[in-house]
Amino acid sequence: MEMVPSEENQLVPKEGMFWSCRQSIFNEMKKRFSQIENASEEPRVLCIVQDTTNAKTVNERLTLNLPASTTLSKLFEDVAHKASYVNGTFDLAWGKTGDMGSLDPSSETSLTESGFEPGKRNFLQLTDKDGEQPQIASDESGTAGSSGLDDSSQERFIGPLPRDGTVGCSSDYSSPSYSYSSILNKSDTGYVGLVNQAMTCYLNSLLQTLFMTPEFRNALYNWEFEESEEDPVTSIPYQLQRLFLLLQTSKKRAIETTDVTRSFGWDSSEAWQQHDVQELCRVMFDALEQKWKQTEQQQFSPLTADLINQLYQGKLKDYVRCLECGYESWRIDTYLDIPLVIRPFGASQAYGSVEEALQAFVQPETLDGANQYFCERCKKKCDARKGLRFLHFPYLLTLQLKRFDFDYTTMHRIKLNDRMSFPEELDMGPFIDVEDEKSPQTESCTDSGAENEGSCHSDQMSNDFSADDGVDEGICLDSASSTERVLKPKVPNLNTSSLTFELFSVMVHSGSAAGGHYYACIKSFSDGQWYSFNDQHVSKITQEDIRKTYGGSSGSRGYYSSAFASSTNAYMLIYRLKDPSRNAKYLDCEDFPEHIKHLVQREKESEEQEKRQREIERNTCKIKLFCMHPVKMMAMMENKLEVHKDKTLREATEMAYKLMELDGVVPLDCCRLVKYDEFHEYLERSYEGEDDTPMGLLLGGVKSSYMFDLLLETRRAEQVFQPYKPGEVMVKVHVVDLKTDTIAPPVSIRAYLNQSITEFKQLIAQATELSAETMRVVLERCYNDLRLLYVPNKTLKAEGFFRSNKVFVESSESPDHQVTFTDSLLWKLLDRHGNTIRLFVSLPVQSPGTNRTICQKVGGETEECSEGSKGNRNSVETILEESTEKLKNLSLQQQQGSSTSDSQKSSDTSDFEHIESPSPSQEPDSSSVSAVVAVDNRELENRIRAASGGSGGGAYSDPETQFPGEERSDSEVNNDRSTSSVDSDILSSSHSSDTLCNADSGPIQLANGLDSHSITSSRRSKANEGKKETWDTAEEDSGTDSEYDENGKSKAESYYLYFRAEPYAQEDGSGEGGQKCVLVHVDKRITLSAFKQNLEPFVGVTSTQFKVFRIYANNQEFESVRLNETLSSFSDDNKITIRLGRALKKGEYRVKVYQLLVNDAEPCKFLVDTVFAKGMTVKQSKEELMPQLKDQCKLDLNIDKFRLRKKTWKNPGTVFLDYHVYEEDINISSNWEVFLEVLDGPEKMKSMSQLAVLTRRWTPAQMKLEPFQEVVLESSSVEELKEKLSEISGIPLENLEFAKGRGTFPCDISVLEIHQDLDWNPKVSTLNVWPLYICDDGAVVFYRDSTEEPMEQSEDERNELMKKESSRLLKTGHRVSYSPRKEKALKIYLDGGPVKDPGQD
């Protein structure tokens, strides 16, 4: 385009050229649009890529929708871009074809030519290349390998990584410029990370620092482990040696530290304990010293044995100089690190740099005024100067920045985030005391280095750890050596010119005083590059990143500056002395000692083996396997099939065959694997003709979890496997026979959702040989929905069919076809089938053990019946059989009277089933029949009474007859459990789904062998509509547990729902010895009252004389007492136990009685179960309780010698007076417990205004607690309490002190703590105010003589007493100490693990 100068001497297009330029742009746009239009018409290939290189990404999918003409090389580029990987560092393989080989990343063939199918999903797997994980791409240039940028221009990361591997949202945890590109692989940095076990970041930081210290690493390599001397598992130096070798030679991105922590004696719980990195450094150094001194090599390698001191130990002088005479008293201390204060106590401004903090560290303080120093020379108190002087600096100088402090305003630990800078090179010359180092020690001195090594005794140093830690920290030794160490000068005649140290490690803490994260910034001495070692991630960083760890903010250093500062800052600094003669280099692999080379070879072999195992694991498909075992009671067995993805279907079938133990049961060729949905019990598809197909292809690749399962299907030799095609639905067909009232087991067929109902009926007709013309099909869509399929052209999908379905079919010419479905016999039979459950009922033994029957006379006295009752047992059983037959006949008569057709009758006329709908005119007949049944029940009761008792005073003469022996059995079962007697989940619903049934078995009578997998939902709402049918229509529960009305007559229903019982022999033999069991099929809509009445002929007594207990999975028993509620919470195969004993009437409550023994080790002892009634006085309940106590507990008590009182958990409460009335003066509930307390004398409590307090004297001089004594107060006055205590103890009133007990009764406390821990002598005048709050009977009060001093004890006596107290309090279940739990101390165990104190809480 020709350009001409404008008036402003700028080049502009020549006039007329603009339009030609515009036209060329339009042509280019037209060409682009044409290309886009052609591309839109081109077929697209959908590629779904699964990244299998990382456990975190294995469940993620990358989706690419590419034109079909895209080349394979372009596919690799697009996948690399989308996955943020470097192209060429990964492979792509087919995920669902037989060829599991990799695709060619350099191929220029199109996707369609390479086998990709347009319009379909093409599954690919992204895998490692040559066993190495893919490299993560750089954001700047797209690939790290092609990046031409230097280190300074790349994005870098400093700070701990977020847990989920994503960018953190807080500046405390990530740099604003953080990206995945900053996390370099080992191949880029040359370093390996350490896996964080849970909260072991502090350990990882220290280990990486030691590894990057050449002198420490080389010395550790030179030490040789002798396996004959020590177990390698517990050898700390050996495990550190192995770890360092792996860090130097491993190809992994990160390695585990579990072997190292195991050598510390730690278990897995230690991984969840947060600790201080400086604390770990000190403890681990001490442990290493002890370990090296225990080996025989120390005589050959003294440098190794004293390595820690040689590298890290320095010396300082702690002095006091008199300002009057110049006399100086001093001592020499050793140290391993120097703690530097961030902000002085009480100061508003923090130190700005390490140099300032060091200057303050050696700054002396003046002792004057009340703090004057007593001078030995002046022989008086004088002003003096106290301070510290450094005499020697170690080769490796460790500085701890004391960022953790205690805030005395809030009384909490805090972290100081103030800015403190530190130089890369630190000159320690100004801080050395050269004169003191050279001068002879002529004045008063104490060389305390031998006994205080590693600690410093100045005021600042002693505050190194918070005083509230409260526990010793350090090494736990079996026998600690008391040998004193000999100090050796490390660098004699040191001069200030050689005291320049270079920084090489910064251990950073991110978080608060409550917790946080550690990582290390370390400089490599080989290349001078700084790296961030953040657990398993290692990345390059710069000096700018180091400066970010200074802490603080860019603002002024004010008092509140740390409140708004970053919580990521330096915590420990490690410097190395710059001395070319001593500065070492890292040992290369070729320079390793021979024993290290052998160790490297072993570790490489172990790592290769581990890699091969991981490869096998990564290519192994793990999927659930099911099998309906043909022998083991047709039970559905479950297991896990683990098969390599390259194994064929035939090989996998053989593995499953062996896994399910079918060898010798079914031939292998009669088994096959099919795709199965266990949740819906749906057979999805079979694999015909794919016996040689790899399992990885059939299962869709190796996945962490599958959305389907496998079923090992079996057949008989003469049968042929049915093919299962994808898209089919499974239908279980139950054939219903109205003539016999039976429902056959299911027959499985497969259908398609687009089939019509007519076609579906023809399919069923082929499978069942029924007529399709007269067939009625009922779909059970869910457990509460029956749907008649009557529209011929409607599809199965429109009717609500799903993967697995259940239908009932009936085909006959019965007139029932003409009746409305909800009024038909078919609906009623299905409704009964859906609501009938099977229960196992254990009956009580009628004549236990001694063949005696306890008979009750009219006067209430009991006597033992004659042996003749034994001979009457047969007559009782005969009567039961006759009565049962009579009841069957009555039921049959009622059914015949109300039924209009023989086809509508149930074949089981013995089952009390009144499902039919009688006409209104028939209702009186029905009632009369029910009345006859009721009269017959009463007649049955009289006949049983005559047969069992023989006379009018027999066992059943009184409807309120007690069964003391049987009541006791109830108590024995419950023993001392404080459980509710109410069936707590009586209102809950239940549902049991269908399972695979044996299709070869013939139809089973519903009453004789009801399908245990039947759905148990209630369809009562429709059944009760208009009350057309005789359902159980009991009144709603009024809140009482009685089956009687206000006139004392039975409120039980006259009508019976389906009920059938038959004898049952228990498989486990528990029914032997006279225990009878019956198998009951019952409609769960029946009430408990009607259920009990139906059980009367089998129990042998009326329903008012036995109780029903429901048995749960853990064999716990709960009594079902709400008679008006149904059995809807019960499900198939639930167990019930019947126990003899009077059932509750209206206003009665079952009560558990416990004995209160205030001075026993176990103060709460269960006695009996009894019944209290509304309106009964306490005295009346005591009178009724006395015979029970005598008979069952052998307690013969006088009514005036015991009391009843409230029980709250284990605490005694309000004393019940004899004239108190239940439900008027005393609230009572169905789940009630009371204490019975035996009195030593007459009852002192006469009025509710009195207060009964349990008191206990503490005798410090004898270190013991006296027994409890009860004190009855007339008021809540503290003065009266003291007077009473003074009266019973003889302690003068002015010396008496008291305190309220803590916790549950008996408020036990250790005698070592009671003197200080309780709140003695509270300043109150009444007992019912804070902090006492004694407002009810039963409070515990301790008292003592204030002038009595505690017994003086030696250390051994105190330890012995502590053990006794620990044992005593553990037995009673009380804590040894009420002080708050302290943080767990960091310990390294040299004997393999901690020894737990049996008395330790």
Side-chain angles (χ1 to χ4, degrees):
M1 180 183 294
E2 186 178 355
M3 308 294 290
V4 296
S6 66
E7 295 179 358
E8 291 82 7
N9 293 324
Q10 294 179 347
L11 293 177
V12 296
K14 186 177 180 181
E15 188 176 356
M17 288 294 179
F18 175 78
W19 297 107
S20 61
C21 179
R22 182 180 180 184
Q23 186 63 36
S24 64
I25 293 175
F26 282 156
N27 292 337
E28 182 67 24
M29 290 178 64
K30 185 177 180 181
K31 182 179 178 181
R32 293 278 181 89
F33 282 130
S34 177
Q35 291 176 351
I36 294 173
E37 185 177 355
N38 294 335
S40 64
E41 296 174 358
E42 182 182 356
R44 311 288 290 185
V45 175
L46 180 62
C47 300
I48 300 176
V49 184
Q50 178 188 18
D51 186 354
T52 64
T53 62
N54 193 315
K56 294 183 179 179
T57 61
V58 71
N59 292 324
E60 299 176 2
R61 302 291 186 272
L62 303 176
T63 304
L64 296 94
N65 194 8
L66 304 173
S69 60
T70 305
T71 63
L72 283 179
S73 59
K74 184 66 168 64
L75 171 66
F76 273 83
E77 292 179 9
D78 292 344
V79 171
H81 176 73
K82 195 154 189 175
S84 299
Y85 288 147
V86 176
N87 193 8
T89 63
F90 61 88
D91 283 333
L92 291 177
W94 288 105
K96 282 198 172 184
T97 66
D99 182 15
M100 301 299 289
S102 301
L103 300 176
D104 185 4
S106 60
S107 175
E108 295 300 323
T109 57
S110 65
L111 296 182
T112 52
E113 294 172 349
S114 301
F116 288 78
E117 298 184 40
K120 295 184 178 180
R121 294 183 296 174
N122 298 270
F123 291 91
L124 300 173
Q125 289 187 357
L126 191 153
T127 61
D128 294 343
K129 187 169 185 178
D130 300 328
E132 296 290 337
Q133 290 192 338
Q135 296 182 18
I136 299 175
S138 171
D139 290 343
E140 290 83 354
S141 58
T143 62
S146 60
S147 175
L149 302 175
D150 59 12
D151 292 339
S152 62
S153 62
Q154 296 183 14
E155 289 188 352
R156 294 174 181 85
F157 163 72
I158 180 170
L161 292 174
R163 288 288 182 188
D164 56 357
T166 59
V167 180
C169 58
S170 170
S171 61
D172 293 346
Y173 286 87
S174 64
S175 170
S177 62
Y178 163 68
S179 69
Y180 276 112
S181 63
S182 61
I183 306 174
L184 307 179
N185 292 324
K186 193 235 175 180
S187 57
D188 295 316
T189 64
Y191 294 104
V192 178
L194 294 175
V195 176
N196 190 334
Q197 296 182 36
M199 297 181 180
T200 57
C201 53
Y202 66 97
L203 173 66
N204 293 348
S205 302
L206 180 60
L207 290 176
Q208 292 284 18
T209 297
L210 296 178
F211 171 72
M212 296 296 287
T213 306
E215 292 77 9
F216 187 90
R217 189 204 299 186
N218 297 346
L220 191 62
Y221 284 170
N222 289 324
W223 176 81
E224 183 175 358
F225 172 69
E226 294 292 341
E227 194 165 351
S228 59
E229 297 180 8
E230 189 179 5
D231 183 1
V233 175
T234 60
S235 175
I236 299 174
Y238 175 68
Q239 293 301 335
L240 281 178
Q241 196 178 71
R242 286 186 61 243
L243 181 74
F244 283 11
L245 276 177
L246 291 174
L247 286 173
Q248 187 168 350
T249 61
S250 176
K251 294 181 180 180
K252 295 181 182 179
R253 180 176 298 180
I255 58 177
E256 299 279 352
T257 58
T258 50
D259 289 340
V260 174
T261 56
R262 193 178 294 113
S263 70
F264 290 171
W266 295 358
D267 55 22
S268 57
S269 64
E270 287 287 347
W272 296 92
Q273 295 287 336
Q274 290 185 338
H275 290 295
D276 187 286
V277 68
Q278 187 270 346
E279 178 188 14
L280 172 69
C281 181
R282 178 169 61 90
V283 174
M284 192 166 77
F285 281 176
D286 287 347
L288 283 172
E289 279 190 308
Q290 292 292 337
K291 278 289 185 181
W292 274 322
K293 287 190 175 184
Q294 291 174 5
T295 63
E296 295 180 0
Q297 292 188 51
Q298 58 178 324
Q299 56 184 328
F300 304 107
S301 180
L303 177 63
T304 304
D306 203 32
L307 177 66
I308 303 301
N309 294 338
Q310 295 285 343
L311 296 178
Y312 295 92
Q313 182 176 276
K315 287 198 299 184
L316 54 77
K317 176 195 285 189
D318 185 355
Y319 69 92
V320 180
R321 183 188 295 272
C322 177
L323 294 181
E324 293 189 14
C325 68
Y327 173 80
E328 182 176 288
S329 174
W330 52 270
R331 68 177 182 183
I332 303 297
D333 284 332
T334 60
Y335 64 90
L336 294 178
D337 55 65
I338 303 174
L340 299 180
V341 174
I342 299 288
R343 184 196 300 164
F345 179 76
S348 60
Q349 193 170 3
Y351 297 126
S353 65
V354 165
E355 293 90 341
E356 284 187 42
L358 281 169
Q359 190 62 48
F361 186 84
V362 298
Q363 181 69 32
E365 62 172 322
T366 301
L367 303 179
D368 55 7
N371 294 326
Q372 279 187 325
Y373 163 72
F374 183 84
C375 178
E376 294 291 339
R377 181 179 295 174
C378 300
K379 302 298 181 183
K380 65 174 183 177
K381 285 190 175 183
C382 306
D383 289 351
R385 185 164 293 162
K386 184 181 186 302
L388 300 170
R389 298 193 188 106
F390 288 110
L391 302 180
H392 163 70
F393 290 113
Y395 177 70
L396 296 173
L397 179 64
T398 304
L399 303 180
Q400 181 204 5
L401 309 184
K402 297 185 63 177
R403 293 197 173 273
F404 299 106
D405 204 350
F406 190 80
D407 189 341
Y408 288 94
T409 303
T410 62
M411 301 303 290
H412 287 97
R413 293 183 65 186
I414 59 171
K415 182 183 177 184
L416 303 175
N417 294 312
D418 301 86
R419 175 183 173 87
M420 176 173 277
S421 64
F422 45 86
E424 187 172 4
E425 289 192 356
L426 178 62
D427 183 11
M428 295 298 290
F431 306 103
I432 193 76
D433 193 336
V434 182
E435 295 302 323
D436 276 327
E437 177 71 14
K438 294 180 180 179
S439 61
Q441 300 178 4
T442 56
E443 300 182 16
S444 173
C445 70
T446 304
D447 186 357
S448 61
E451 60 186 37
N452 295 305
E453 179 176 311
S455 62
C456 189
H457 293 274
S458 69
D459 291 341
Q460 297 183 55
M461 302 279 281
S462 62
N463 288 328
D464 184 16
F465 298 100
S466 177
D468 63 345
D469 287 346
V471 289
D472 294 332
E473 298 173 346
I475 302 179
C476 181
L477 292 171
D478 279 343
S479 57
S481 174
S482 60
T483 307
E484 293 188 356
R485 302 168 184 166
V486 179
L487 291 178
K488 303 175 183 178
K490 306 302 180 293
V491 187
N493 301 323
L494 212 61
N495 55 66
T496 57
S497 62
S498 62
L499 290 179
T500 301
F501 290 80
E502 62 175 324
L503 178 70
F504 76 96
S505 177
V506 180
M507 278 174 263
V508 183
H509 181 269
S510 177
S512 66
H517 178 69
Y518 284 100
Y519 62 95
C521 301
I522 307 174
K523 183 175 73 172
S524 170
F525 288 112
S526 59
D527 58 4
Q529 172 66 46
W530 281 91
Y531 297 91
S532 171
F533 290 85
N534 190 349
D535 288 336
Q536 58 263 45
H537 303 283
V538 184
S539 58
K540 291 183 179 181
I541 55 175
T542 64
Q543 283 291 341
E544 179 61 29
D545 296 319
I546 300 298
R547 285 191 285 272
K548 291 179 182 178
T549 66
Y550 289 169
S553 57
S554 57
S556 61
R557 287 160 42 208
Y559 182 77
Y560 295 103
S561 62
S562 66
F564 306 98
S566 169
S567 65
T568 302
N569 34 53
Y571 181 60
M572 279 186 71
L573 310 173
I574 300 184
Y575 288 83
R576 186 177 77 163
L577 183 67
K578 295 187 69 173
D579 184 355
S581 63
R582 299 188 64 190
N583 295 158
K585 295 183 178 180
Y586 305 113
L587 277 180
D588 293 328
C589 295
E590 55 271 15
D591 299 328
F592 283 165
E594 285 301 318
H595 67 276
I596 296 296
K597 290 181 179 179
H598 292 314
L599 183 58
V600 170
Q601 186 61 32
R602 290 201 303 269
E603 294 297 333
K604 281 187 177 180
E605 292 173 359
S606 175
E607 191 170 314
E608 287 298 324
Q609 176 63 25
E610 189 178 328
K611 184 178 180 181
R612 287 192 295 270
Q613 189 61 36
R614 280 202 312 270
E615 186 68 23
I616 294 174
E617 188 77 12
R618 196 169 61 181
N619 292 317
T620 299
C621 305
K622 299 178 182 179
I623 188 169
K624 276 187 180 181
L625 175 67
F626 294 89
C627 177
M628 180 66 73
H629 202 282
V631 174
K632 297 184 178 179
M633 298 186 65
M634 286 297 293
M636 180 67 80
M637 297 176 60
E638 179 182 344
N639 216 318
K640 178 175 282 189
L641 178 65
E642 298 184 4
V643 57
H644 194 277
K645 67 177 183 180
D646 295 334
K647 293 283 187 181
T648 62
L649 177 62
R650 181 181 288 105
E651 293 172 316
T653 303
E654 187 174 354
M655 294 173 62
Y657 177 78
K658 295 178 180 178
L659 194 63
M660 288 300 181
E661 301 176 357
L662 294 178
D663 192 12
V665 179
V666 179
L668 178 60
D669 57 0
C670 291
C671 302
R672 68 169 179 177
L673 286 174
V674 295
K675 193 175 181 181
Y676 179 59
D677 181 355
E678 186 261 342
F679 181 77
H680 296 98
E681 296 182 6
Y682 171 56
L683 298 170
E684 294 192 16
R685 62 158 298 185
S686 54
Y687 301 105
E688 283 79 14
E690 299 188 74
D691 288 344
D692 296 325
T693 305
M695 291 299 293
L697 177 61
L698 290 179
L699 300 179
V702 181
K703 301 178 181 178
S704 57
S705 62
Y706 292 88
M707 299 298 293
F708 56 91
D709 313 301
L710 291 178
L711 174 72
L712 185 63
E713 195 176 21
T714 61
R715 64 174 174 84
R716 293 194 298 271
E718 67 275 8
Q719 288 182 324
V720 178
F721 279 126
Q722 176 186 353
Y724 306 141
K725 299 178 181 179
E728 294 177 333
V729 294
M730 187 173 173
V731 184
K732 293 180 181 178
V733 180
H734 294 263
V735 178
V736 180
D737 189 343
L738 292 181
K739 292 182 180 180
T740 60
D741 266 5
T742 58
I743 299 177
V747 176
S748 296
I749 65 173
R750 297 177 72 83
Y752 290 95
L753 290 175
N754 57 1
Q755 282 183 327
S756 66
I757 298 300
T758 302
E759 295 171 335
F760 183 54
K761 287 184 178 180
Q762 293 173 354
L763 186 64
I764 297 176
Q766 295 175 5
T768 60
E769 299 181 357
L770 296 176
S771 172
E773 286 75 16
T774 60
M775 184 181 295
R776 286 185 291 176
V777 181
V778 179
L779 170 67
E780 188 173 64
R781 295 198 299 183
C782 58
Y783 66 87
N784 199 27
D785 185 8
L786 291 174
R787 183 184 184 90
L788 180 65
L789 309 181
Y790 60 90
V791 182
N793 298 326
K794 205 168 185 180
T795 64
L796 300 187
K797 184 176 182 180
E799 290 286 7
F801 278 68
F802 191 54
R803 289 184 172 186
S804 184
N805 309 275
K806 181 179 180 181
V807 299
F808 301 90
V809 297
E810 188 275 333
S811 181
S812 67
E813 298 181 357
S814 168
D816 196 55
H817 283 250
Q818 310 301 324
V819 184
T820 305
F821 175 58
T822 53
D823 295 328
S824 65
L825 290 178
L826 176 61
W827 186 89
K828 293 174 182 177
L829 181 58
L830 296 181
D831 177 74
R832 186 187 74 183
H833 173 268
N835 286 284
T836 301
I837 55 177
R838 181 174 64 187
L839 303 175
F840 295 97
V841 181
S842 298
L843 302 176
V845 180
Q846 293 292 329
S847 301
T850 58
N851 296 323
R852 294 182 301 166
T853 303
I854 302 300
C855 305
Q856 184 172 7
K857 295 183 178 180
V858 178
E861 298 178 1
T862 61
E863 66 177 10
E864 184 177 326
C865 296
S866 65
E867 291 288 336
S869 61
K870 176 180 179 181
N872 290 335
R873 184 183 306 171
N874 293 334
S875 63
V876 172
E877 294 178 354
T878 304
I879 293 171
L880 288 176
E881 293 176 1
E882 293 176 358
S883 63
T884 304
E885 187 64 30
K886 190 170 184 179
L887 287 172
K888 290 181 179 178
N889 294 333
L890 286 171
S891 177
L892 179 62
Q893 293 172 13
Q894 183 180 6
Q895 291 180 9
Q896 290 175 343
S898 60
S899 177
T900 59
S901 173
D902 291 340
S903 62
Q904 296 176 344
K905 293 186 295 182
S906 171
S907 62
D908 288 328
T909 57
S910 63
D911 296 342
F912 305 149
E913 182 193 5
H914 296 181
I915 299 294
E916 292 75 23
S917 304
S919 61
S921 62
Q922 292 174 325
E923 288 183 2
D925 296 335
S926 174
S927 302
S928 64
V929 171
S930 300
V932 172
V933 173
V935 171
D936 185 75
N937 283 338
R938 303 283 80 76
E939 181 184 351
L940 165 67
E941 181 181 336
N942 294 332
R943 294 182 62 188
I944 292 174
R945 181 187 310 120
S948 300
S951 64
Y956 305 102
S957 61
D958 189 350
E960 298 184 8
T961 299
Q962 298 278 346
F963 294 88
E966 307 304 333
E967 286 284 354
R968 180 56 185 165
S969 65
D970 184 8
S971 304
E972 289 170 353
V973 170
N974 287 278
N975 200 10
D976 198 15
R977 294 198 304 262
S978 177
T979 54
S980 172
S981 62
V982 181
D983 191 353
S984 58
D985 42 328
I986 195 73
L987 298 176
S988 64
S989 61
S990 61
H991 169 62
S992 63
S993 59
D994 290 341
T995 57
L996 296 178
C997 299
N998 186 359
D1000 296 326
S1001 61
I1004 300 176
Q1005 292 281 338
L1006 181 64
N1008 294 332
L1010 184 67
D1011 178 13
S1012 64
H1013 314 295
S1014 59
I1015 293 179
T1016 58
S1017 62
S1018 173
R1019 303 183 180 89
R1020 183 174 178 179
S1021 57
K1022 178 63 181 176
N1024 272 334
E1025 189 174 330
K1027 292 193 176 180
K1028 294 181 181 179
E1029 304 182 4
T1030 58
W1031 302 114
D1032 171 15
T1033 55
E1035 300 175 10
E1036 294 298 324
D1037 185 12
S1038 60
T1040 68
D1041 295 322
S1042 173
E1043 57 183 303
Y1044 301 93
D1045 59 17
E1046 294 180 356
N1047 298 323
K1049 296 181 179 180
S1050 173
K1051 298 192 298 183
E1053 298 80 9
S1054 299
Y1055 304 115
Y1056 291 90
L1057 289 174
Y1058 183 82
F1059 180 95
R1060 185 182 185 282
E1062 59 187 17
Y1064 169 73
Q1066 298 189 27
E1067 297 178 359
D1068 57 2
S1070 59
E1072 298 177 0
Q1075 181 77 26
K1076 297 180 181 179
C1077 300
V1078 291
L1079 183 63
V1080 176
H1081 297 283
V1082 64
D1083 194 315
K1084 65 179 181 179
R1085 294 169 295 192
I1086 196 172
T1087 62
L1088 179 61
S1089 175
F1091 179 67
K1092 290 181 66 177
Q1093 287 197 0
N1094 281 318
L1095 285 175
E1096 284 180 355
F1098 304 94
V1099 180
V1101 297
T1102 59
S1103 61
T1104 60
Q1105 299 301 323
F1106 66 85
K1107 297 173 287 185
V1108 176
F1109 288 85
R1110 184 174 181 178
I1111 312 299
Y1112 289 86
N1114 55 359
N1115 288 327
Q1116 277 192 312
E1117 296 184 358
F1118 290 90
E1119 184 181 0
S1120 298
V1121 296
R1122 296 189 178 275
L1123 297 168
N1124 294 326
E1125 291 182 353
T1126 67
L1127 305 185
S1128 59
S1129 69
F1130 288 76
S1131 57
D1132 277 332
D1133 298 337
N1134 278 174
K1135 294 182 180 180
I1136 289 175
T1137 294
I1138 303 299
R1139 299 193 183 280
L1140 296 180
R1142 183 170 64 80
L1144 297 177
K1145 297 181 181 180
K1146 184 177 181 180
E1148 290 185 336
Y1149 303 90
R1150 209 170 299 282
V1151 179
K1152 291 183 181 294
V1153 181
Y1154 294 80
Q1155 185 175 3
L1156 177 63
L1157 304 165
V1158 293
N1159 287 310
D1160 280 20
E1162 182 51 57
C1164 180
K1165 176 185 176 183
F1166 176 78
L1167 293 178
V1168 294
D1169 274 326
T1170 188
V1171 175
F1172 288 176
K1174 177 182 179 181
M1176 178 186 288
T1177 64
V1178 172
K1179 186 173 183 178
Q1180 289 173 336
S1181 65
K1182 289 165 66 177
E1183 289 173 348
E1184 292 199 6
L1185 193 57
M1186 286 167 60
Q1188 282 184 266
L1189 295 173
K1190 184 176 181 180
D1191 182 57
Q1192 298 181 31
C1193 306
K1194 309 304 179 187
L1195 284 177
D1196 191 3
L1197 301 175
N1198 188 299
I1199 194 169
D1200 297 326
K1201 294 296 183 179
F1202 73 96
R1203 65 160 67 132
L1204 299 180
R1205 65 190 304 168
K1206 183 178 179 181
K1207 178 180 182 290
T1208 306
W1209 183 227
K1210 293 184 178 181
N1211 298 313
T1214 308
V1215 175
F1216 300 148
L1217 305 180
D1218 285 349
Y1219 58 84
H1220 284 165
V1221 179
Y1222 295 117
E1223 288 288 24
E1224 293 182 10
D1225 303 310
I1226 303 170
N1227 293 326
I1228 190 171
S1229 62
S1230 58
N1231 184 26
W1232 211 48
E1233 298 175 344
V1234 296
F1235 269 130
L1236 181 150
E1237 185 179 10
V1238 180
L1239 302 175
D1240 296 331
E1243 177 64 79
K1244 299 178 182 178
M1245 292 288 292
K1246 304 295 183 183
S1247 167
M1248 288 295 293
S1249 62
Q1250 293 175 310
L1251 189 66
V1253 179
L1254 293 169
T1255 64
R1256 196 172 190 184
R1257 179 173 179 176
W1258 157 239
T1259 311
Q1262 301 176 18
M1263 297 294 285
K1264 74 172 187 177
L1265 288 164
E1266 303 292 344
F1268 278 104
Q1269 289 182 282
E1270 185 178 75
V1271 171
V1272 177
L1273 306 177
E1274 300 298 329
S1275 66
S1276 297
S1277 168
V1278 170
E1279 200 60 35
E1280 183 185 358
L1281 173 63
K1282 285 189 172 184
E1283 290 174 358
K1284 294 275 188 179
L1285 294 177
S1286 177
E1287 181 182 334
I1288 63 175
S1289 65
I1291 301 175
L1293 195 60
E1294 62 273 12
N1295 298 335
L1296 193 141
E1297 294 182 340
F1298 74 95
K1300 184 183 177 183
R1302 299 172 181 168
T1304 58
F1305 185 81
C1307 305
D1308 253 331
I1309 186 172
S1310 171
V1311 296
L1312 295 171
E1313 300 171 352
I1314 186 173
H1315 206 70
Q1316 298 86 15
D1317 282 11
L1318 293 184
D1319 184 15
W1320 291 98
N1321 215 26
K1323 305 301 182 183
V1324 291
S1325 58
T1326 58
L1327 300 176
N1328 56 1
V1329 297
W1330 185 86
L1332 296 177
Y1333 284 125
I1334 300 177
C1335 306
D1336 196 6
D1337 302 327
V1340 174
V1341 171
F1342 296 98
Y1343 65 96
R1344 69 182 180 187
D1345 188 341
S1346 61
T1347 61
E1348 190 175 340
E1349 293 296 328
M1351 177 194 300
E1352 293 186 5
Q1353 295 175 299
S1354 65
E1355 190 66 27
D1356 291 340
E1357 290 174 337
R1358 184 175 179 81
N1359 290 338
E1360 186 65 26
L1361 182 59
M1362 184 181 297
K1363 290 180 180 179
K1364 290 181 180 179
E1365 284 296 285
S1366 298
S1367 177
R1368 178 180 70 86
L1369 295 176
L1370 282 175
K1371 288 179 181 178
T1372 59
H1374 289 77
R1375 290 178 56 90
V1376 178
S1377 173
Y1378 290 98
S1379 59
R1381 186 179 294 275
K1382 299 178 176 65
E1383 293 181 4
K1384 188 174 181 180
L1386 191 152
K1387 291 181 182 289
I1388 292 179
Y1389 304 92
L1390 302 185
D1391 55 346
V1395 179
K1396 294 185 178 179
D1397 183 0
Q1400 185 179 359
D1401 184 18

